[in-house]
Amino acid sequence: MKFTESMLAAPLPEDIQKLKWYGDFEVADRVIRKRLETDIPAALKERLEAELEILKRMPGQYPYTWEQALEVMQANFEDFTREEFQELWESNAMEWIYIEGRVHFKDNFLENLVKTREWLSGRLKVPALEENKRSNAEYLNQTITYMKEHGGIACRFRIKSTLKLKDSEAGEGQRIRVYLPVPVEYAQVQSFRLLAASVITVDGEEKEAKVVDLAGRAEDGVCGPMQAYLAPSDADQRTVCFTGAYQPGMQFKIEYEYVVKMPYVDAGGAGKAAAGISAAAGTAPEKWREKDKPFHYLGEQLPHIHFTPYLKAVTGEVVGDETDPLKKAKRIYDYITSHLMYSYVRSYLTITELVDYAAAGWKGDCGIQALLFINMCRIAGVPARWQSGLYARPGDVGCHDWAMFYAEPYGWLYADCSFGGSAYRMGCQERREFYFGNLDPYRMPSCCQFQADFVPPVKGLRHDPYDNQTGEVEFEDRCLDSAEFETEHEMVNWSILTEE
């Protein structure tokens, strides 16, 4: 099964919805399979087939019962009470579902509370749980000061990514395709070089894979000696794709370097950028790629960029009678960063309406916040688009999503609602203002389009059909779920570049 927009278009029958949200996943699965044997519309059939995959992926992401989660909280916070836990649950502060009629909490609910609830910080029994948040904020504050003083920043990064399957005995002799993300060469990214693509055997031997530059051709590999396909420099979701015969215990590794040139733009004033530092912001229109032209980013892209009546009403309430595109975007950014609480969520495929999830519950992770910003900007007539990949600074490399929007006279600018919301919660208005119009340089954008396919394309249903940060693995019969493999991204080195 391969993801299509229509997979989520049909409504889920109410009886199946009831079983799903009660958490009776076994019976729901059985009911769906029986329904698929009847004469139903093709669109509903596709929706139910997708729901089978959703039901399979949901429960494993919620391992903690109520009592287990309470014990975790009491083990990590001084004098934490059952009443406080009840209040957090009732205020929608923790991601949860029913499993067989009992509340279960998401695997990273503790990290989510440490990240977002400042009032709990002083009660941590292990302050190290919060050290990364504080050190990251200080690091960003220093970077922002540097960018303002120098008009921007240019940095060179070298990153190594390694993917391995958790079941070392899986897939022996089958053809495998492993996709690992690399930077798209546009906007802030320049001078990408793939330094190595190799396969590590179970004995620890590292063998280089033959690298083939696809140069725009969506070719497929054959089962045989391992090859690595480098997608075109402007691929919407760029990857290195390993393909060949899999032997148990194999690991797949790439190493690459790239340059980020990030100007500082004073989006509230006249705007400025340092000489010699150029990126998307301020780039002359005649130098844009065709796909970067703003009129491409005003419409819907179902199922998740969707102008519902409710979202139109919310956008109208937020934007009001403002007519200037830059100020419209700023009102939307200010509203999201002050009203939407950051929240880790289950895998995106299992949330059938990502933007409604955010706009109704007013919580969501970085990608959901970026999508909400994009939707609301487009409804307001402001071109907006997706960018995502890695947040990669020394000592901290992880998945992240953010947005871009277009406003004269600047051209394409950036908006990171997640980082802006964090700054708002921590009381740092300067950092919050920075992330409207600007980004720090610690980004590896591997995706410039939401819901784009790979080159060469995946044949099955990806574990994340919308984005790509941890990679994908596909055998002949299926794609693996994210729980079946692990990817480690490591910053090898980085440096600030002086003006040339």
Side-chain angles (χ1 to χ4, degrees):
M1 178 172 57
K2 189 174 178 65
F3 180 83
T4 62
E5 294 177 2
S6 60
M7 278 177 59
L8 305 180
L12 194 64
E14 188 180 72
D15 62 326
I16 296 172
Q17 280 189 343
K18 292 173 182 175
L19 290 167
K20 174 182 179 178
W21 291 120
Y22 181 75
D24 201 337
F25 297 107
E26 183 178 337
V27 174
D29 182 283
R30 192 162 62 242
V31 169
I32 289 173
R33 294 184 187 279
K34 289 179 180 178
R35 197 72 48 87
L36 287 170
E37 295 174 356
T38 65
D39 185 14
I40 57 176
L44 180 57
K45 179 180 180 181
E46 191 171 14
R47 175 68 183 87
L48 292 179
E49 288 174 342
E51 191 62 29
L52 287 174
E53 187 65 31
I54 291 170
L55 294 178
K56 182 173 71 175
R57 297 186 183 192
M58 279 182 63
Q61 299 179 53
Y62 297 84
Y64 294 105
T65 66
W66 182 281
E67 292 300 325
Q68 288 170 339
L70 176 59
E71 289 175 6
V72 169
M73 294 297 289
Q74 290 176 335
N76 283 278
F77 296 99
E78 296 287 353
D79 304 319
F80 189 82
T81 67
R82 184 177 294 271
E83 290 73 24
E84 287 178 309
F85 191 69
Q86 180 77 25
E87 177 59 30
L88 285 168
W89 179 64
E90 291 181 4
S91 62
N92 200 25
M94 299 177 290
E95 173 66 17
W96 64 277
I97 60 171
Y98 283 117
I99 298 179
E100 296 182 354
R102 299 177 64 197
V103 173
H104 281 66
F105 294 93
K106 197 169 182 307
D107 47 12
N108 52 7
F109 82 96
L110 172 64
E111 293 88 339
N112 197 92
L113 290 173
V114 172
K115 183 181 182 73
T116 60
R117 266 59 185 185
E118 292 293 318
W119 62 272
L120 282 170
S121 300
R123 296 165 60 185
L124 271 170
K125 294 180 179 180
V126 184
L129 289 172
E130 198 186 36
E131 284 178 4
N132 185 60
K133 181 174 74 171
R134 300 295 176 188
S135 63
N136 187 59
E138 181 58 31
Y139 199 93
L140 292 175
N141 289 341
Q142 293 173 4
T143 300
I144 291 168
T145 298
Y146 180 97
M147 290 179 67
K148 288 182 175 181
E149 290 176 351
H150 294 81
I153 193 170
C155 300
R156 185 183 304 277
F157 298 91
R158 185 167 181 170
I159 291 179
K160 178 171 64 178
S161 299
T162 306
L163 184 148
K164 63 180 179 180
L165 277 60
K166 292 183 179 179
D167 181 358
S168 60
E169 300 302 316
E172 182 173 5
Q174 289 193 50
R175 183 187 62 78
I176 193 172
R177 281 194 289 183
V178 171
Y179 296 82
L180 282 168
V182 292
V184 182
E185 293 178 74
Y186 84 120
Q188 70 269 53
V189 174
Q190 301 177 14
S191 305
F192 167 81
R193 287 199 307 150
L194 180 63
L195 303 175
S198 57
V199 176
I200 304 170
T201 68
V202 69
D203 298 323
E205 182 181 1
E206 187 167 338
K207 298 180 179 179
E208 289 189 15
K210 179 183 178 182
V211 177
V212 180
D213 192 334
L214 284 173
R217 293 174 289 112
E219 296 182 354
D220 194 8
V222 296
C223 193
M226 196 66 65
Q227 291 185 324
Y229 288 81
L230 175 62
S233 62
D234 64 346
D236 290 335
Q237 294 195 11
R238 195 181 190 194
T239 65
V240 171
C241 173
F242 291 89
T243 183
Y246 177 73
Q247 297 301 318
M250 275 183 171
Q251 299 181 38
F252 302 85
K253 187 181 81 172
I254 59 173
E255 192 165 334
Y256 56 90
E257 67 177 21
Y258 61 100
V259 170
V260 167
K261 290 190 174 182
M262 186 65 66
Y264 170 67
V265 176
D266 182 3
K272 59 181 179 180
I277 297 179
S278 62
T283 303
E286 61 269 18
K287 295 184 179 180
W288 293 340
R289 306 174 306 172
E290 173 60 32
K291 65 173 67 176
D292 292 331
K293 293 179 178 178
F295 65 84
H296 292 304
Y297 302 97
L298 283 167
E300 294 181 297
Q301 184 186 353
L302 299 178
H304 297 302
I305 300 179
H306 185 199
F307 305 161
T308 64
Y310 170 67
L311 197 56
K312 288 179 180 179
V314 172
T315 303
E317 182 179 339
V318 171
V319 171
D321 58 0
E322 183 57 64
T323 59
D324 180 82
L326 183 64
K327 293 179 180 178
K328 286 181 182 179
K330 184 61 161 58
R331 287 191 179 187
I332 292 167
Y333 173 85
D334 285 347
Y335 193 87
I336 292 174
T337 55
S338 62
H339 286 72
L340 193 147
M341 180 60 74
Y342 187 93
S343 177
Y344 295 124
V345 299
R346 60 185 181 272
S347 56
Y348 278 10
L349 181 64
T350 66
I351 304 176
T352 55
E353 289 138 349
L354 287 166
V355 174
D356 286 349
Y357 178 98
W362 289 103
K363 69 174 186 176
D365 67 358
C366 54
I368 288 177
Q369 293 186 40
L371 278 175
L372 180 60
F373 178 83
I374 291 167
N375 266 270
M376 293 177 69
C377 279
R378 291 191 185 186
I379 289 171
V382 180
R385 63 186 299 189
W386 178 265
Q387 194 177 79
S388 70
L390 300 178
Y391 173 67
R393 74 163 178 85
D396 186 8
V397 181
C399 304
H400 194 47
D401 311 321
W402 57 95
M404 301 177 72
F405 67 98
Y406 180 86
E408 297 288 0
Y410 308 101
W412 285 106
L413 298 172
Y414 300 94
D416 191 328
C417 295
S418 170
F419 274 36
S422 174
Y424 175 82
R425 292 191 301 272
M426 297 177 75
C428 184
Q429 185 63 18
E430 181 182 7
R431 191 165 77 248
R432 181 191 181 201
E433 292 293 326
F434 173 85
Y435 283 104
F436 177 78
N438 296 280
L439 278 183
D440 56 76
Y442 312 116
R443 310 291 170 123
M444 189 286 280
S446 60
C447 302
C448 60
Q449 294 281 4
F450 190 73
Q451 201 174 302
D453 213 338
F454 296 161
V455 181
V458 174
K459 295 180 179 179
L461 179 62
R462 287 159 43 182
H463 84 85
D464 184 350
Y466 308 122
D467 201 4
N468 178 44
Q469 296 156 321
T470 59
E472 296 280 347
V473 180
E474 182 176 38
F475 281 122
E476 296 168 8
D477 58 344
R478 69 184 184 98
C479 290
L480 300 192
D481 185 71
S482 59
E484 298 177 276
F485 64 91
E486 57 187 3
T487 305
E488 179 183 356
H489 300 296
E490 176 189 350
M491 183 177 292
V492 179
N493 57 56
W494 80 290
S495 59
I496 296 177
L497 303 180
T498 57
E499 295 181 25
E500 300 175 356

